[in-house]
């Protein structure tokens, strides 16, 4: 019987110290050579492997659910009209494709006001039309072409949105480094990092072994990586993110759930949130698309997720809270202590864990 962790509603339960030198600035090369910590919830054990050995934990007709969202270069640098002052705009999500409206974060926020025009590379121009938060704005691109042309200009002039804890400038190679092999549907401002460990060769090996690799989509927003700011977790609210679970995905996952032999392995916390949002009355997966603000923390009874592939996450993040709810609070706390002692590489470009 898998032991569930105690109720953990306090932010302080999820705070810990991280040696800065363990935060990975680059991914492993090749990607599947990263280390893999295997956590067995039933046996309460921790094992050390490499990610390319993850095939040992899959059998024919097992299901692996992955996120096929695609990161776009969401960070734009430009100048204000008249003053020429430097500005940076982080594109969060497109609000309306016809009117070119986007939710963004701006820097320096105190100097960017409604009515300001911002000029970027490739002759892109935007006007600030609303204040949403202290740093948030709504902008409208002044652009007459079609959407695909606008996206191409953003791609040409934008910068890969590496997380702020990676203390270096984005490089040309990060366009590929910060993208999973499953990436297909544009819309994420951060990578679903558990998927970064897979290579085409590893995916082919799993498929040849009879593993059913099932894509769903959740466009990762900046909210997934925003620290929780309230001590009482019941008062935290997630930013909504768009997701889509296809009928084919629902059917294959439910077949595995109903089997006594096959497992559903979920690649990443983003996929967990999409799947655990899309439930039938009988706690099976249903085809659905929409917006989810689901926040998972201990205790939580998972309906779809049977095994989880994830990275080592930041303290105080919603990601570590979800992982703790799945692994069990005490066992995950021990795993992080072991990871730090064994000098695992941490966060987006770091090593992985498989929780079974």
């Amino acid at each position: 019987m898998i032991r569930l962790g105690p109720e953990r509603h306090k932010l302080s339960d999820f705070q810990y110290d991280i040696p800065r030198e363990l935060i990975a600035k680059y991914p492993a090369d090749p990607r599947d050579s990263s280390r893999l910590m295997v956590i067995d919830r039933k046996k309460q054990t921790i094992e050390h492997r490499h990610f390319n050995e993850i095939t040992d934990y899959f059998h024919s007709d097992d299901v692996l659910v992955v996120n096929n969202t695609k990161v776009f270069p969401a960070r734009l640098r430009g100048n204000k009209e008249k003053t020429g002052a430097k500005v940076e705009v982080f594109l969060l999500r497109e609000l309306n494709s016809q009117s070119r409206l986007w939710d963004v974060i701006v820097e320096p926020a105190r100097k960017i006001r409604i009515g300001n025009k911002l000029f970027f590379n490739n002759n892109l121009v935007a006007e600030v039309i609303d204040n949403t938060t202290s740093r948030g704005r709504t902008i409208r691109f002044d652009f007459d072409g079609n959407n695909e042309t606008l996206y191409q200009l953003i791609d040409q002039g934008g910068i890969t949105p590496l997380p702020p804890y990676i203390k270096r400038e984005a490089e040309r190679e990060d366009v590929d480094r910060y993208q999973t092999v499953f990436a297909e549907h544009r819309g994420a401002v951060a990578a679903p990092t558990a998927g970064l460990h897979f290579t085409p060769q590893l995916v082919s090996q799993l498929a040849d072994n009879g593993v059913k690799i099932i894509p769903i989509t959740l466009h990762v927003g900046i909210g997934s990586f925003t620290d929780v700011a309230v001590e009482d977790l019941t008062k935290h609210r997630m930013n909504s993110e768009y997701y889509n679970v296809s009928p084919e995905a629902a059917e294959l996952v439910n077949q595995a759930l109903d089997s006594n032999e096959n497992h559903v392995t979920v690649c990443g916390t983003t996929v967990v949130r999409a799947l655990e949002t899309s439930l039938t009355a009988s706690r099976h997966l249903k085809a659905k698309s929409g917006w989810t603000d689901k926040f998972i923390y201990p205790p939580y009874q998972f309906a779809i997720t049977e095994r989880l592939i994830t990275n080592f996450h930041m303290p105080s993040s919603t990601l570590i809270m979800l992982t703790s709810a799945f692994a069990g609070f005490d066992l995950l706390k021990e795993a992080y202590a072991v990871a730090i002692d064994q000098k695992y590489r941490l966060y987006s470009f770091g090593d992985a864990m498989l929780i079974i």
Side-chain angles (χ1 to χ4, degrees):
M1 183 70 176
I2 294 171
R3 185 179 68 185
L4 294 178
E7 291 191 11
R8 294 287 173 173
H9 291 171
K10 294 182 179 181
L11 175 63
S12 52
D13 290 329
F14 299 93
Q15 295 172 339
Y16 62 96
D17 294 326
I18 281 292
R20 297 291 305 179
E21 65 271 16
L22 296 184
I23 299 175
K25 291 185 177 181
Y26 296 92
D29 186 19
R31 294 188 187 192
D32 60 3
S33 66
S34 58
R35 297 171 74 183
L36 177 69
M37 179 183 286
V38 181
I39 301 173
D40 190 315
R41 296 176 293 165
K42 185 175 181 179
K43 296 178 181 178
Q44 296 283 291
T45 58
I46 296 171
E47 184 181 0
H48 305 287
R49 305 287 294 271
H50 285 89
F51 199 85
N52 54 21
E53 299 175 290
I54 201 169
T55 54
D56 294 346
Y57 297 91
F58 285 88
H59 302 287
S60 181
D61 291 328
D62 279 352
V63 162
L64 171 64
V65 190
V66 301
N67 191 350
N68 65 4
T69 190
K70 186 176 182 179
V71 179
F72 68 97
R75 198 179 299 275
L76 297 176
R77 289 175 179 162
N79 303 90
K80 286 179 62 177
E81 185 184 26
K82 296 181 181 179
T83 67
K86 292 182 179 180
V87 297
E88 183 168 294
V89 169
F90 192 102
L91 302 173
L92 293 180
R93 63 184 183 186
E94 188 176 30
L95 298 176
N96 187 303
S97 60
Q98 293 183 336
S99 57
R100 319 291 195 219
L101 293 177
W102 287 73
D103 263 343
V104 304
I105 291 176
V106 296
E107 295 289 349
R110 70 184 186 280
K111 295 185 178 181
I112 302 178
R113 303 180 177 91
I114 295 174
N116 286 160
K117 283 197 173 182
L118 311 176
F119 291 79
F120 307 103
N121 293 333
N122 302 323
N123 297 318
L124 270 179
V125 181
E127 182 179 355
V128 180
I129 65 169
D130 195 12
N131 294 333
T132 53
T133 65
S134 61
R135 297 172 59 217
R137 303 289 187 270
T138 300
I139 66 170
R140 178 171 52 228
F141 282 107
D142 182 7
F143 185 76
D144 293 330
N146 59 37
N147 287 337
E148 286 305 314
T149 303
L150 175 60
Y151 298 155
Q152 288 173 9
L153 292 176
I154 291 173
D155 289 349
Q156 291 169 10
I159 300 169
T160 301
L162 295 180
Y165 51 73
I166 297 180
K167 302 297 184 182
R168 63 174 176 83
E169 285 290 315
E171 302 167 3
R172 181 180 301 176
E173 292 81 2
D174 289 318
V175 173
D176 295 320
R177 289 179 187 141
Y178 200 54
Q179 200 79 265
T180 74
V181 296
F182 309 111
E184 183 178 358
H185 298 296
R186 175 194 183 95
V189 301
T193 54
L196 292 177
H197 302 278
F198 287 89
T199 62
Q201 294 78 14
L202 183 57
V203 171
S204 294
Q205 186 178 353
L206 287 167
D208 290 343
N209 291 345
V211 178
K212 298 175 181 177
I213 301 173
I214 301 172
I216 63 97
T217 304
L218 185 140
H219 291 320
V220 189
I222 201 167
S224 291
F225 300 91
T226 301
D227 287 350
V228 177
V230 290
E231 178 67 6
D232 182 356
L233 300 185
T234 63
K235 296 180 179 179
H236 177 69
R237 296 295 177 265
M238 295 280 289
N239 291 342
S240 294
E241 295 164 312
Y242 177 81
Y243 75 98
N244 179 62
V245 177
S246 69
E248 180 185 11
E251 180 181 1
L252 291 173
V253 168
N254 288 334
Q255 287 176 2
L257 289 174
D258 291 335
S259 169
N260 292 324
E261 299 177 355
N262 304 125
H263 295 289
V264 176
T265 300
V266 174
C267 182
T269 59
T270 60
V271 180
V272 173
R273 293 179 58 243
L275 300 185
E276 297 294 327
T277 298
S278 308
L279 300 180
T280 67
S282 61
R283 294 180 68 77
H284 279 60
L285 185 62
K286 67 178 177 181
K288 189 177 180 182
S289 63
W291 297 83
T292 180
D293 61 356
K294 193 170 188 65
F295 176 33
I296 297 175
Y297 55 90
Y300 180 84
Q301 191 66 48
F302 291 83
I304 307 297
T305 310
E306 295 182 327
R307 306 191 304 182
L308 174 63
I309 302 168
T310 192
N311 280 23
F312 293 89
H313 302 298
M314 293 179 63
S316 304
S317 67
T318 60
L319 311 180
I320 195 172
M321 294 166 189
L322 184 154
T323 308
S324 177
F326 189 74
F329 181 85
D330 293 333
L331 183 56
L332 190 72
K333 184 177 180 180
E334 178 187 355
Y336 270 64
V338 170
I340 292 171
D341 181 69
Q342 296 293 316
K343 300 190 183 307
Y344 272 68
R345 301 167 72 247
L346 308 179
Y347 302 168
S348 292
F349 281 149
D351 295 318
M353 62 170 59
L354 169 65
I355 306 170
I356 61 176

